Amino acid sequence: MMKVGYLGPEGTFTEAATQAALPSVKRVAYETIPKSIDALFSDEVDGVVVPLENTIEGSVNITLDYLIHHRRAEICGEIIVPIQQHFVTHPNHTKSWSSVEVIYSHPHAIAQCHQFLRQVVPHAKVETMSSTGAAAKWLSEQPEDNAAAISNAWAAEKYGLDIVQHDINDYPNNHTRFVLLKNPASKGISISSGQPASEKTTMLVTLPSDYSGALHQVLSAFAWRKLNLTKIESRPMKTELGRYYFIIDVEGHQDTPLFQGAVGELEALGCGVDLLGSYPCFSYVAQAVKETQNYGSSF
Amino acid sequence: MMKVGYLGPEGTFTEAATQAALPSVKRVAYETIPKSIDALFSDEVDGVVVPLENTIEGSVNITLDYLIHHRRAEICGEIIVPIQQHFVTHPNHTKSWSSVEVIYSHPHAIAQCHQFLRQVVPHAKVETMSSTGAAAKWLSEQPEDNAAAISNAWAAEKYGLDIVQHDINDYPNNHTRFVLLKNPASKGISISSGQPASEKTTMLVTLPSDYSGALHQVLSAFAWRKLNLTKIESRPMKTELGRYYFIIDVEGHQDTPLFQGAVGELEALGCGVDLLGSYPCFSYVAQAVKETQNYGSSF
């Protein structure tokens, strides 16, 4: 059976995304995102699922920086899942949920449910945990505590908690984009559930130094070939201010003649180009597979 | 006397940047970056200094997101200062510094001094604080503790601590770019120390939705006019995955005919354009003013 790593403990959104996309693999929890990526290179796992981008928070810099500076894993699939936060309690406290004294969750989840917390449970103290999964786990181990957690439905089920208020996040259309990574030297692992909506290629581009208009030339190489960009992001090279890696997502597969022509031209211009993978894109609703949907737009 | 807000407590790198650029203003400490920006709009201060970007960590998302989504302050100056981390102790423990049991600092400072900590004081426990200034303040209040902190020279002096090891950061060329903000409705405040190296304009651009090649067109409007971009950064619109604000820095002033032509064309293409300010750029070495230097390169 294939093994796939994720940011644990059990019940995190990363585990929910892994379960939705790869329902028949053995899931292995890791403490941190870098440790889960390292596990690919020590052959502990065949793949890992890592968060790359969220509707509200933006890019997950720890994932991007680890891929850029430490481990060049290959992206072999995209997994988009909705982020639905629920207000959960231990079954002992289901009826008295509105008078809980403490609420546990991850800082991002707390920030995303700010209006709910302020309006519905303004008296409760808020305590931060390392993940929504860790908050649900902690709550399940304190049956006496008059407390609640903010977590996903997956964690509530896993830890035997009751969902007392559904969908409490302030922004209704919140999604996280995860990617499935593999060791480039290993054989493949692929997403087995659902139909892909599209195909995408992610690459790292560095520009020739002190060359005005270089980024414009990079985009021109794609634009005149009608290759659509869906994302461009800059991350520091860490050598000096003002020097960046560009992480560029392009619709389509890197094996097409147009794509290869664009990459050849970038290299001829003096750019560094590192292809992180061409991969199918899947999106899921809750734990069910939904009709494929394409998020975002090209630009 | 003009009043300028900064992220406190006393002794942070933000205070050091404020002191370098605006030596004769009254400095007012705020607990968080959003609170310091809010103070502009309640007329508590005439300006605030906020961190925007660091060589190692990249953009400071909390600053960018607060400017985009909450308060459109105007940028009126750029302040680049070196980030030099030192190992400091209470004078009681100067001689026994290599056997300290606990080290306090901000998580970024701890990450930036990883090699030093691992090689020189591997036995010591590391504890995180909200800023390097807070770590230095805490250390000064615990004369009995066999402890040290990682902080800047400014904080060491302020809190009467001894620098026992200089420049312990792993990356030698670490700088942070701060900006001076003002309320657009108020009269000006400007940087009074040193000579500017250059002039820059920062703008927020949104693209017409689902329009392939739009970002390329935006860059074309600048490229053919030889207006150099020094940075492009994307931040989420928070409405759905794949929709972004672009924060673009361009060399030169927004009042020039070429710049105004470019902005007019972007608007004609259906882009949203919001000018955050045209401002002079200053860089400093330690607390002294250095010959002006231009960091980074245009692209």
Side-chain angles (χ1 to χ4, degrees), chain A residues 53-59 61 65 69-70 80 171 173-177 207-216 219-221 223-224 228-244 246 294-299, chain B residues 53-59 61 65 69-70 80 171 173-177 207-216 219-221 223-224 228-244 246 294-299:
Chain A
E53 183 182 7
N54 172 264
T55 311
I56 313 297
E57 311 292 339
S59 285
N61 290 339
D65 285 359
H69 295 283
H70 296 280
I80 292 178
Y171 294 88
N173 199 16
N174 190 6
H175 290 80
T176 294
R177 177 184 169 215
L207 303 182
S209 65
D210 231 354
Y211 175 146
S212 292
L215 184 63
H216 173 250
L219 299 197
S220 298
W224 79 257
N228 292 333
L229 270 56
T230 58
K231 189 174 187 206
I232 182 167
E233 171 82 39
S234 56
R235 287 297 302 153
M237 294 184 81
K238 304 192 187 235
T239 52
E240 60 175 314
L241 272 184
R243 300 277 293 148
Y244 307 97
F246 291 92
N294 212 339
Y295 286 98
S297 51
S298 53
F299 49 72
Chain B
E53 183 183 7
N54 172 264
T55 310
I56 313 297
E57 311 291 339
S59 285
N61 291 338
D65 286 359
H69 295 283
H70 297 280
I80 292 179
Y171 294 89
N173 200 16
N174 190 7
H175 290 80
T176 294
R177 177 184 168 215
L207 304 181
S209 64
D210 231 353
Y211 175 146
S212 292
L215 184 63
H216 173 248
L219 299 198
S220 298
W224 79 257
N228 293 333
L229 269 58
T230 57
K231 189 176 186 203
I232 182 166
E233 171 83 39
S234 55
R235 287 298 301 155
M237 293 184 80
K238 303 190 187 242
T239 52
E240 60 175 313
L241 271 184
R243 300 277 293 147
Y244 306 97
F246 291 92
N294 213 339
Y295 286 97
S297 51
S298 53
F299 49 73

Side-chain angles (χ1 to χ4, degrees), chain B residues 277-289:
Chain B
S278 291
Y279 49 88
C281 305
F282 294 78
S283 69
Y284 301 93
V285 166
Q287 262 78 57
V289 179

